[in-house]
C-alpha cells in the first residue's frame, strides 16, 4: 500500500497517539478551573504552546489554538474585515488560495469589499512586485499562502513581507498549512502578521490548528463565550489534541532536513520515470527549487482525474484529484485554470503528495503502477489518436 | 557569501579605567553563557570588540540572543575573509546586496590595522566604493549621512567586512555591580524594575510573598514565569518564595484596616532584608514609582523604609505608567503580568488605605504582633527556586 495523499491528511504518528491517550487519561482538567487539576492542565497547554512558538521563533502568547486551518483562516480574514474596516475596504489575495481563504474573500466581495486577485505565472507563483502595485490607501490585508496545496509551488512570502514592511498599516496573512514543519518560515523575520497552521497535515491529530498572531495586533473573536485563548477563541481547549499537535511539531522539526532531502530524491525519481516511460503527460507547478519537493501535480489530458485516482486505488496507490476539500465537484480546478491550463489538462490532473511515513518502496510502487495504468487508460480513452 | 561571524561592540565599558578588564571578562563570560544554546559558536575578544564565530549556525538567532546581553551597544553580521582583495570585494558586495533597496546611499570606511596589506585605507575606500557603484545601480555615495556605512577592517590574520549594526541593549554586563534582591510581585512594575537593575550590571535574586489560599498557585506560577523571562537578560536567577499567609492573617486581625498595607510592606522589607543578608545581596530593589498608589507617597515610603538600613533601589521612580508598560512590552513580561490573578497586594486591599501613614502608629500596631517569631518562621519556611534560561520542562510527554 502506498499512501501518497499527505497533503489531504496524514497518518497520525503513533507517538502522537500515545501522548494524546496519556493526556486523556491523566490530564483531564479544564485549563480554566481554579484548582490544582485545572492548573495542571493549563500548565501542559502552555508548555505545548511554547513548543509551537519555538518552532515559529515567536512568543508563546502569539499562538492561538483553533480547531484547524479553516478556522484560523476565517478568523484572520473575517476578523480583519470586522475590526479594520474603518481603515479601508480593500484586500489583496491570490487566485490559488485554499477554499478556506478563497471563499471568505468571495463572501467579503458580496459584502462590498474590494478584493484584488493577483495574477500568477504558469507555475502558479505570485510576483511580489504585483503585490506592491496592487496596494491602495484603502488596503488593509494581503493574504498569500506559503505552499500551494494543489501544485506545491512555494510563494515568495518572505519577499512579499519585506516589501510590505514599508506599509505598516497593511497586514499580511500567510496560510502555511502545507509548509509548516517541512519548510522553515519565521513570521517575525518575514514581516508576517498572521500565519495559519494545522495539526493533521504533519502527522498530528485532526481538529487542531493554530494561528500565529503578531503581538499587539487585535482581532475580534468568531466564537463568543468563556473567553479562552485570551478572549480570541472561546470554548474549552482541546487539550489532548493540543498536546498531540506539540508532539507532532517536535517530531516534524527533528525530521525536517532529512525528509526534505528524501522528498527531493523521490520527486526526481518519479519525474525521471514519467519522462522516460509515459507520454501525454504534463507536469504542473515548479519542479525546481521553487516547488515543494513533497507535492507533485501531473496532468494527463484526455483522462479524468477521478478515473485515474480509482485506477491507481485498485493497485493500492492512493493519490488525489485537485485538493481533497474541493475534489467532489466535477469542475476544472480554479488553481490550475489560474495557471493557464486548458480545461482538458485541468480535468485530468492528479496530485501525489508525500509524508514522513512514506518509504522509498511506496514511491517505486507508485511509479510502477503509473507507468502500467496510465497507458492502459490512454488506450481506452484513445488519447493519442485525437 | 554569507555572514560567518558577528561583530559585537561595547560602549561604556571602554571608559571604565582600571576595572575595564574585569568588565570585559564578565561581558565575554555572559555572552558565552548566552550562546551555550548554539554549540560550536566561539566568542573571542580583540582590540575593544568581540567576535562570534557562527560556525554552522544562522546569524539571526545568534544576533537575537546577543541583543539580550547587557553591555553591548552594537551587533552586526560580518563576513570574515582572507586578506585577499578579490575576496574582500565579494564580501563587500554580499553585505551590500543583502540590504536590497532598503539602502540608497552608502559610504565605505576602511581600516588597515595590518600595514603590510598593500592597499592603503583611503584607496580601499575609493576602489570598493567604485566597485559597488558599478555593481548596484540604485546606490549613491553619501559620506555625510549614508543609509549604510560599509566597514572593512584588515587585521593581522583576516579581513572583516560588515554593514550597519543593530543597536544592543547598552548598560553594564550583569554581575559587575554586585547582587541585589528584587521584591517581585505579579504586577507590571516589579519585573521592569528587575530588568533595569540588571541593566546596570546587578546580579538579580528575587523574593515573592505567597499567601495560599488567598493567592493561588497560578499567582505563584506567574511570578516564576516572570522571573524566568528575566533570566533571558540575567542568566541564573534565584527566586525566594516566602509563605506569607500567617503574617497577613495576623496583620488583619490586629491592625487598623487603613494601616494594613503599610504594616505589610514594612514586614516584607524586613523579610527581604534578612533573605538578602543570607544571600549576600547588598540592596533591595522595588518597582515603586512616586505617587502611583497609596503606598508610594513619600510619607509612605519613609515609613516603610524606616525598618531597614539596606539601600532600597527604585529604578522606576522617575517613570510614568506608560513608560513602564512600554518597557514591559518590549521585554515580554507584560503579557504575563496582566494575567488576572490575585496577588498579596490586592487580596487584602483596604477600602481607604492611609496615604500618609505615620511611623509611630505603624510601630505601635506592630507591637501587637509577635513580629520576630512571624518573620523568622516566614524566612525559615521560604522555598528557593533556581531559574535558568534553559529550563527543564514540567511535563515529559512531549
Amino acid at each position: 500500500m502506498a499512501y501518497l495523499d499527505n497533503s489531504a491528511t496524514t497518518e497520525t504518528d503513533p507517538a502522537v497517539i500515545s501522548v494524546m491517550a496519556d493526556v486523556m487519561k491523566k490530564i483531564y482538567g479544564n485549563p480554566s478551573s481554579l484548582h490544582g487539576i485545572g492548573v495542571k492542565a493549563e500548565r501542559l497547554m502552555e508548555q505545548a504552546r511554547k513548543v509551537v512558538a519555538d518552532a515559529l521563533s515567536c512568543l508563546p502568547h502569539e499562538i492561538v489554538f483553533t480547531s484547524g486551518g479553516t478556522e484560523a483562516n476565517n478568523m484572520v480574514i473575517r476578523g480583519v474585515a470586522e475590526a479594520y474596516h474603518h481603515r479601508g475596504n480593500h484586500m489583496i489575495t491570490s487566485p490559488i488560495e485554499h477554499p478556506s481563504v478563497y471563499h471568505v474573500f468571495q463572501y467579503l466581495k458580496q459584502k462590498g469589499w474590494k478584493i484584488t486577485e493577483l495574477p500568477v505565472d504558469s507555475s502558479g507563483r505570485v510576483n511580489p512586485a504585483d503585490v506592491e502595485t496592487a496596494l491602495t490607501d484603502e488596503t488593509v490585508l494581503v493574504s498569500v499562502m506559503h505552499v500551494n496545496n494543489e501544485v506545491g509551488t512555494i510563494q515568495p512570502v518572505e519577499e512579499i513581507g519585506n516589501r510590505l514592511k514599508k506599509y505598516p498599516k497593511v497586514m499580511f496573512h500567510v496560510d502555511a498549512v502545507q509548509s509548516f514543519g517541512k519548510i522553515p518560515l519565521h513570521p517575525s523575520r518575514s514581516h508576517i502578521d498572521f500565519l495559519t497552521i494545522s495539526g493533521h497535515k504533519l502527522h498530528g491529530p485532526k481538529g487542531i490548528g493554530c494561528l500565529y498572531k503578531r503581538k499587539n495586533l487585535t482581532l475580534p473573536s468568531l466564537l463568543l463565550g468563556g473567553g479562552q485563548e485570551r478572549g480570541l477563541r472561546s470554548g474549552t481547549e482541546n487539550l489532548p489534541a493540543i498536546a498531540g499537535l506539540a508532539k507532532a511539531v517536535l517530531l516534524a522539526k527533528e525530521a525536517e532536513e532529512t525528509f526534505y532531502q528524501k522528498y527531493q530524491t523521490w520527486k526526481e525519481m518519479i519525474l525521471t520515470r514519467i519522462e522516460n516511460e509515459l507520454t501525454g503527460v504534463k507536469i504542473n507547478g515548479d519542479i525546481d527549487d521553487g516547488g515543494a519537493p513533497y507535492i507533485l501535480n501531473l496532468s494527463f489530458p484526455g483522462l479524468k482525474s477521478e478515473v485515474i485516482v480509482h485506477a491507481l486505488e485498485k493497485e493500492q496507490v492512493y493519490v488525489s484529484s485537485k485538493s481533497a476539500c474541493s475534489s467532489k465537484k466535477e469542475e476544472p480546478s480554479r488553481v490550475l485554470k489560474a495557471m493557464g491550463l486548458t480545461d482538458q489538462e485541468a480535468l485530468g490532473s492528479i496530485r501525489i503528495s508525500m509524508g514522513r511515513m512514506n518509504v522509498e518502496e511506496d514511491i517505486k510502487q507508485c511509479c510502477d503502477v503509473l507507468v502500467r495504468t496510465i497507458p492502459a487508460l490512454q488506450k481506452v480513452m484513445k488519447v493519442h489518436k485525437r | 557569501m554569507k555572514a560567518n561571524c558577528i561583530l559585537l561592540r561595547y560602549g561604556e565599558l571602554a571608559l571604565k579605567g582600571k576595572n575595564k578588564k574585569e568588565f570585559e571578562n564578565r561581558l565575554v563570560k555572559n555572552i558565552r553563557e548566552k550562546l551555550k544554546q548554539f554549540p560550536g559558536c566561539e566568542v573571542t575578544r580583540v582590540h575593544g570588540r568581540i567576535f562570534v564565530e557562527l560556525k554552522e549556525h544562522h546569524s539571526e538567532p545568534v544576533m537575537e540572543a546577543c541583543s539580550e546581553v547587557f553591555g553591548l551597544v552594537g551587533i552586526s553580521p560580518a563576513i570574515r575573509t582572507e586578506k585577499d582583495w578579490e575576496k574582500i570585494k565579494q564580501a563587500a558586495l554580499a553585505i551590500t546586496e543583502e540590504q536590497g533597496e532598503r539602502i540608497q546611499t552608502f559610504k565605505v570606511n576602511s581600516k588597515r590595522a595590518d600595514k603590510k596589506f598593500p592597499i592603503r585605507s583611503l584607496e580601499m575606500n575609493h576602489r570598493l566604493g567604485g566597485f559597488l557603484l558599478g555593481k548596484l545601480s540604485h546606490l549613491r555615495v553619501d559620506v555625510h549621512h549614508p543609509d549604510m556605512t560599509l566597514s572593512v577592517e584588515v587585521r593581522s590574520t583576516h579581513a572583516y567586512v560588515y554593514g550597519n549594526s543593530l543597536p544592543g541593549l547598552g548598560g553594564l554586563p550583569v554581575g559587575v555591580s554586585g547582587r541585589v534582591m528584587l521584591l517581585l510581585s505579579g504586577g507590571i512594575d516589579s519585573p521592569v524594575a528587575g530588568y533595569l537593575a540588571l541593566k546596570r550590571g546587578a546580579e538579580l535574586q528575587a523574593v515573592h510573598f505567597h499567601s495560599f489560599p488567598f493567592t493561588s498557585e497560578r499567582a505563584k506560577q506567574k511570578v516564576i514565569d516572570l522571573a524566568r523571562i528575566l533570566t533571558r537578560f540575567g542568566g541564573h536567577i534565584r527566586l525566594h518564595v516566602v509563605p506569607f499567609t500567617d503574617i497577613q492573617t495576623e496583620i488583619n486581625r490586629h491592625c487598623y484596616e487603613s494601616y494594613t498595607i503599610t504594616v505589610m510592606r514594612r514586614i516584607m522589607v524586613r523579610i527581604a532584608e534578612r533573605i538578602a543578608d543570607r544571600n549576600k545581596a547588598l540592596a533591595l530593589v522595588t518597582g515603586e514609582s512616586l505617587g502611583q498608589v497609596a503606598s508610594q507617597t513619600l510619607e509612605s515610603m519613609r515609613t516603610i523604609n524606616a525598618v531597614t538600613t539596606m539601600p532600597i533601589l527604585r529604578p522606576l521612580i522617575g517613570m510614568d505608567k506608560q513608560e513602564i508598560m512600554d518597557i514591559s512590552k518590549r521585554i515580554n513580561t507584560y503579557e504575563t503580568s496582566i494575567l488576572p490573578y490575585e496577588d498579596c497586594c490586592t487580596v487584602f486591599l483596604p477600602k481607604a488605605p492611609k496615604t500618609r501613614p505615620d511611623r509611630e502608629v505603624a510601630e505601635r500596631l506592630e507591637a501587637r504582633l509577635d513580629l520576630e517569631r512571624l518573620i523568622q518562621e516566614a524566612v525559615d519556611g521560604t522555598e528557593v527556586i533556581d531559574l535558568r534560561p534553559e529550563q527543564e520542562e514540567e511535563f515529559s510527554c512531549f
Side-chain angles (χ1 to χ4, degrees), chain B residues 148-184:
Chain B
M148 180 180 89
T149 302
L150 181 85
S151 305
V152 180
E153 290 181 27
V154 183
R155 298 193 164 274
S156 55
T157 53
H158 289 94
Y160 295 88
V161 182
Y162 54 92
N164 285 345
S165 63
L166 294 174
L169 277 184
L172 299 173
V174 169
V176 297
S177 306
R179 187 173 293 157
V180 297
M181 187 65 64
L182 169 71
L183 277 77
L184 184 60

Side-chain angles (χ1 to χ4, degrees), chain A residues 19 27 31 33-34 39-40 42-44 47-48 50 59 61 165 189 215 230 243 246-247 250, chain B residues 60-61 64 102 217-218 221 225 228 329-330 332 335-336 338-339 341 393-398:
Chain A
V19 166
I27 307 179
S33 292
L34 286 177
V39 172
K40 197 169 170 194
E42 189 191 25
R43 300 302 300 169
L44 177 70
Q47 190 179 320
K50 196 167 163 289
L59 299 167
H61 65 260
K165 200 163 64 170
R189 286 177 213 157
K215 67 170 176 178
R230 296 173 177 259
K247 181 72 186 175
L250 287 175
Chain B
E60 282 110 346
E64 264 164 47
R102 272 172 294 190
E217 275 304 304
R218 276 193 174 84
Q221 192 59 53
D225 290 345
R228 188 171 296 160
K329 283 180 183 167
R330 208 175 64 226
N332 291 321
E335 295 290 331
T336 304
I338 58 170
L339 293 173
Y341 313 130
E393 293 292 356
E394 193 176 344
F395 299 92
S396 56
C397 57
F398 47 77

Side-chain angles (χ1 to χ4, degrees), chain B residues 118-337:
Chain B
I119 307 170
R120 308 174 67 123
S121 47
L122 272 181
E123 194 190 338
M124 208 154 23
N125 290 350
H126 287 142
R127 281 168 65 173
L128 272 180
F131 170 70
L132 291 174
L133 287 172
K135 287 278 179 189
L136 303 166
S137 57
H138 67 282
L139 283 184
R140 278 181 300 115
V141 170
D142 181 344
V143 291
H144 299 295
H145 304 286
D147 294 340
M148 180 180 89
T149 302
L150 181 85
S151 305
V152 180
E153 290 181 27
V154 183
R155 298 193 164 274
S156 55
T157 53
H158 289 94
Y160 295 88
V161 182
Y162 54 92
N164 285 345
S165 63
L166 294 174
L169 277 184
L172 299 173
V174 169
V176 297
S177 306
R179 187 173 293 157
V180 297
M181 187 65 64
L182 169 71
L183 277 77
L184 184 60
S185 70
I188 291 171
D189 300 345
S190 50
V192 175
Y195 168 83
L196 292 173
L198 288 167
K199 180 175 180 187
R200 295 310 298 170
E203 181 190 326
L204 202 65
Q205 294 203 2
V207 52
H208 175 69
F209 298 90
H210 184 51
S211 305
F212 193 78
F214 302 113
T215 62
S216 69
E217 275 304 304
R218 276 193 174 84
K220 176 178 157 190
Q221 192 59 53
K222 173 177 162 182
V223 170
I224 295 173
D225 290 345
L226 286 170
R228 188 171 296 160
I229 294 172
L230 290 178
T231 63
R232 298 219 325 263
F233 307 97
H236 169 217
I237 291 178
R238 177 167 285 184
L239 174 67
H240 306 267
V241 181
V242 180
F244 207 56
T245 318
D246 290 349
I247 292 175
Q248 283 204 306
T249 319
E250 285 294 290
I251 293 172
N252 267 282
R253 188 179 300 159
H254 296 292
C255 302
Y256 305 144
E257 199 194 342
S258 62
Y259 264 81
T260 51
I261 293 283
T262 310
V263 172
M264 182 184 83
R265 294 200 65 94
R266 280 165 60 98
I267 296 176
M268 284 177 172
V269 168
R270 288 187 180 100
I271 293 172
E273 183 187 33
R274 275 194 210 185
I275 294 175
D277 273 337
R278 282 189 177 187
N279 289 278
K280 303 196 173 66
L282 299 174
L284 303 180
V285 179
T286 71
E288 289 162 306
S289 166
L290 199 54
Q292 248 196 41
V293 289
S295 67
Q296 297 179 8
T297 61
L298 278 177
E299 288 84 351
S300 185
M301 273 188 206
R302 176 159 191 254
T303 304
I304 292 164
N305 221 144
V307 300
T308 182
T309 53
M310 195 173 257
I312 300 184
L313 310 180
R314 298 179 176 87
L316 309 186
I317 205 73
M319 285 192 191
D320 296 341
K321 192 74 189 176
Q322 190 57 48
E323 293 174 272
I324 299 169
M325 276 166 50
D326 289 346
I327 297 180
S328 79
K329 283 180 183 167
R330 208 175 64 226
I331 65 175
N332 291 321
T333 52
Y334 182 79
E335 295 290 331
T336 304
S337 286

